[in-house]
Amino acid sequence: MPLTPDAIHHRVAAYYAAIRTGDVDAIVALFAADGAMRDPVGATAATTDAERRQIFGGIKAVFASFGLQEEHVSANPPEAAARWTARGTTHAGKEISFEGISTFVFDDDGKITAMSAYWEPAILGAKLAE
């Protein structure tokens, strides 16, 4: 049975909530077994649980605290797009923020089959280097 817009909004909210709490197991559980995660777009897609965990491990290596707050979500089943703001504090105590947009595709079971995050690594790199 196809997902409703409300169901998609709920799943997108669960994704961002799991990122804010740092619950990598919950994030990984939201993806289909072979779901493709391109974060950021241009990077090689993470298509296994281990690869998705590696992405979030990289975030934890840089940031003591990190979260994404979805500012606007538009759901058109089976897809959604979200505009978000990232905020984090590095292990050295530096506060960083940047913005992006992510797109999602869901299967009928509500699992993410594709997620693409559009943000500019050069901007984040410059902010980290300041």
Side-chain angles (χ1 to χ4, degrees):
M1 172 180 229
L3 296 176
T4 66
D6 283 345
I8 287 178
H9 277 274
H10 176 75
R11 282 165 176 76
V12 170
Y15 175 80
Y16 289 111
I19 291 173
R20 285 189 296 275
T21 62
D23 189 344
V24 176
D25 290 334
I27 297 165
V28 170
L30 293 168
F31 282 83
D34 61 349
M37 179 181 184
R38 297 184 314 148
D39 191 352
V41 168
T44 302
T47 58
T48 66
D49 288 350
E51 291 169 342
R52 288 184 283 274
R53 285 180 189 285
Q54 185 175 10
I55 289 171
F56 291 102
I59 292 169
K60 287 185 175 193
V62 175
F63 291 98
S65 66
F66 182 83
L68 297 178
Q69 181 61 54
E70 63 276 25
E71 306 295 337
H72 176 77
V73 176
S74 181
N76 296 70
E79 300 183 33
R83 180 175 39 94
W84 48 261
T85 300
R87 291 182 181 82
T89 304
T90 68
H91 293 288
K94 183 174 193 165
E95 293 185 11
I96 303 283
S97 68
F98 61 99
E99 297 177 331
I101 296 169
S102 294
T103 60
F104 300 84
V105 180
F106 295 89
D107 63 17
D108 287 347
D109 294 325
K111 297 288 188 173
I112 301 168
T113 60
M115 191 282 290
S116 297
Y118 296 83
W119 56 277
E120 298 179 47
I123 290 174
L124 175 57
K127 288 184 178 196
L128 289 169
E130 291 177 345

